[in-house]
Amino acid sequence: MEIIITTRSWVPIPAESHFSLANIPFGIISTAERTNHRPAVAIGEYALDLETFAAGGGFSEISSIQKDLVVFSQPTLNAFAALGRSVHCEVRKYLQNIFAEDTDYPHILKSNLSSQRDALIRLTKVINHLPMQIGDYTDFYAGRNHAYNVGVLFRGPENALQPNYNHLPVGYHGRASSVVVSGTQIRRPCGQILQDPKAELKIPRFHPSKRLDIELELGAFVCKSNDIGDPIPIEEAEEHLFGFVLMNDWSARDIQAWEYVPLGPFNAKNFGTSISPWIVLADTLEPFRCRGLENKTELLHYLQEGKTNNVYNINLEVDLITSSGATTTITHTNSKNLLFSFPQMIAHHTVTGCPMRVGDLLGSGTISGTEPGTQGSMLEQCSNGKATIKLNNGEERTFLRDGDTVTMRGWSVNSDGARVGFGECVGSILPAHLASNA
């Protein structure tokens, strides 16, 4: 199919919209009138219901997808993702053609008012759901600036990074069952907390976390599996990437401080991970490739990537909104602040023969810059409680309070000025449930 070279759409698209014609992200929606979960794409201020679109003959001009139209009637995107990168690309280009001002197929939607009424839904009337059924979730630690900043806080600058850090994408297995879609409220966790780390006799107490934090990350979904025992070569790893979302891996720093030795974080990370609802396809981000952080360490052969532009130039922002509605942007940074790419993460994850499955989620690790206001966690911004974050209404924060809302945004801008973005990743903090028998 010929690539659409146009930035104009017959669908009105606000200049600041993340969902320009250059994007076409995929998600799962329902509405008050039709409660079944089904696939959709976002365009401007609308969602195109792909189940309704397909049932009405919307894909009649693309022969290759005809035998697989059932994927647009599924409650998740797993079946569509499993069709592979070439199909994702072809379907996206077809939908770009459908939405283009000079579309080759005006009878499908542009001049078909009945189909527009049935299939085009305002985003304000859409309920978003988790886009994928997530079997496994792995969180990496590829944001070297964050790793260094946190290391300095706890070990000093000389020992900030562990000896293995520059050699491999450090990661741990997260909890897939607590990955939630944007807008889901997050309950403040309770757990074992060491009140006085300097005390000779270290006895924890059970308490709600006082150091509830954010972690600004990119998430990537897997679209192609591998058999157990068969590693994914670095040169093939990109074919296993479906697309990307924003991710907030909520963290209870005080629970983590007591529990993480010797096996790493557990309850401090398993209570909630928020993701944005619209998956930006891997092919969509190709124009925004760039170099990541320089790694002067010679990597082992299985991590040596052919592309030097192996990460993406995506602007990232974090807003903190208080319970009174006061909004402060506390972070401006960029996703190019990663030491390892997602293909390298996949190659490392599977080098032992670990099988990946369609729908598996990979987190980049917290993305931070080097300057004040570019850090992707409050832990860094408040120097582990030694400083405060000043808010626009005069309030201060070290960590999150009950009633606070965190909104993450990410977008790139192409050469025509069109935005390719993720929308928002939002979560609000609810008070803790205190267990009476703890």
Side-chain angles (χ1 to χ4, degrees):
M1 180 179 294
E2 186 178 355
I3 297 176
I4 299 298
I5 308 297
T6 181
T7 60
R8 295 185 60 82
S9 172
W10 57 266
V11 179
I13 302 176
E16 299 300 305
S17 173
H18 285 201
F19 307 134
S20 68
L21 189 62
N23 194 349
I24 315 295
F26 287 73
I28 294 292
I29 67 164
S30 67
T31 58
E33 295 76 21
R34 290 187 59 211
T35 58
N36 65 305
H37 297 191
R38 55 202 187 270
V41 295
I43 177 77
E45 297 178 326
Y46 292 86
L48 178 68
D49 180 336
L50 293 180
E51 181 180 53
T52 300
F53 182 71
F59 287 104
S60 59
E61 299 291 347
I62 176 172
S63 59
S64 60
I65 196 67
Q66 295 303 309
K67 68 181 186 304
D68 295 309
L69 288 179
V70 67
V71 302
F72 300 121
S73 299
Q74 303 303 307
T76 69
L77 291 172
N78 291 55
F80 174 64
L83 296 178
R85 288 280 296 268
S86 62
V87 174
H88 311 156
C89 182
E90 188 172 9
V91 169
R92 173 173 166 265
K93 288 178 181 177
Y94 175 75
L95 291 173
Q96 286 177 308
N97 194 322
I98 293 296
F99 289 126
E101 177 66 40
D102 55 351
T103 174
D104 294 323
Y105 316 113
H107 62 284
I108 296 292
L109 200 60
K110 181 182 178 181
S111 59
N112 190 331
L113 298 182
S114 176
S115 291
Q116 287 184 37
R117 284 193 297 269
D118 291 341
L120 273 180
I121 309 167
R122 281 202 169 271
L123 290 177
T124 53
K125 295 184 177 181
V126 160
I127 302 167
N128 292 108
H129 304 279
L130 277 179
M132 305 286 281
Q133 181 179 347
I134 304 169
D136 281 299
Y137 158 47
T138 303
D139 195 22
F140 285 90
Y141 199 48
R144 187 174 61 189
N145 296 327
H146 170 75
Y148 178 80
N149 293 340
V150 173
V152 169
L153 288 174
F154 294 104
R155 294 184 298 273
E158 296 80 11
N159 300 303
L161 297 177
Q162 300 289 357
N164 65 353
Y165 187 82
N166 292 319
H167 290 271
L168 55 84
V170 174
Y172 74 96
H173 294 286
R175 183 72 184 174
S177 64
S178 57
V179 178
V180 296
V181 72
S182 173
T184 305
Q185 294 178 310
I186 300 296
R187 179 75 61 180
R188 181 180 297 273
C190 295
Q192 291 194 26
I193 295 172
L194 194 63
Q195 295 293 99
D196 184 6
K198 296 180 180 179
E200 184 176 348
L201 187 61
K202 292 178 170 52
I203 300 177
R205 60 178 295 202
F206 184 85
H207 200 276
S209 172
K210 295 180 180 180
R211 297 191 165 205
L212 183 55
D213 199 0
I214 64 170
E215 288 190 341
L216 171 62
E217 305 192 29
L218 278 184
F221 280 107
V222 171
C223 66
K224 184 178 180 181
S225 63
N226 62 300
D227 293 332
I228 189 168
D230 292 343
I232 298 173
I234 185 73
E235 59 270 15
E236 298 176 14
E238 282 189 4
E239 290 303 309
H240 293 254
L241 288 170
F242 177 44
F244 300 89
V245 292
L246 298 178
M247 194 169 91
N248 184 354
D249 194 31
W250 307 89
S251 300
R253 302 298 184 186
D254 40 7
I255 295 175
Q256 182 176 352
W258 172 242
E259 74 176 3
Y260 84 101
V261 177
L263 295 180
F266 184 52
N267 285 336
K269 297 276 194 169
N270 69 6
F271 60 93
T273 301
S274 300
I275 63 171
S276 53
W278 298 101
I279 298 177
V280 178
L281 295 183
D283 287 308
T284 304
L285 292 180
E286 282 297 307
F288 309 108
R289 282 186 173 274
C290 65
R291 287 177 177 267
L293 299 177
E294 182 181 7
N295 193 347
K296 297 180 180 179
T297 301
E298 183 177 356
L299 299 175
L300 295 179
H301 68 281
Y302 77 95
L303 289 174
Q304 293 177 7
E305 202 166 4
K307 295 180 178 178
T308 54
N309 291 344
N310 61 353
V311 299
Y312 303 104
N313 180 8
I314 303 170
N315 303 299
L316 300 170
E317 284 184 350
V318 180
D319 285 352
L320 193 157
I321 304 100
T322 67
S323 58
S324 65
T327 300
T328 305
T329 301
I330 62 172
T331 299
H332 295 276
T333 190
N334 192 287
S335 66
K336 62 187 177 184
N337 287 300
L338 291 173
L339 185 65
F340 291 98
S341 69
F342 280 102
Q344 287 174 315
M345 295 176 205
I346 288 176
H348 182 63
H349 203 320
T350 65
V351 72
T352 56
C354 173
M356 306 293 286
R357 294 176 293 188
V358 175
D360 283 357
L361 174 64
L362 308 177
S364 63
T366 306
I367 300 172
S368 295
T370 58
E371 301 299 322
T374 65
Q375 302 99 328
S377 73
M378 297 174 76
L379 175 69
E380 297 166 85
Q381 294 200 25
C382 75
S383 297
N384 195 27
K386 296 176 182 176
T388 59
I389 301 167
K390 305 294 192 291
L391 305 184
N392 289 336
N393 66 345
E395 293 184 38
E396 297 180 348
R397 291 288 188 277
T398 50
F399 296 96
L400 294 170
R401 294 181 185 175
D402 294 346
D404 284 348
T405 296
V406 175
T407 299
M408 295 179 172
R409 290 180 295 274
W411 72 94
S412 301
V413 181
N414 70 12
S415 57
D416 295 311
R419 289 198 176 199
V420 172
F422 298 81
E424 295 182 338
C425 180
V426 181
S428 300
I429 304 303
L430 294 174
H433 279 321
L434 288 174
S436 58
N437 61 345

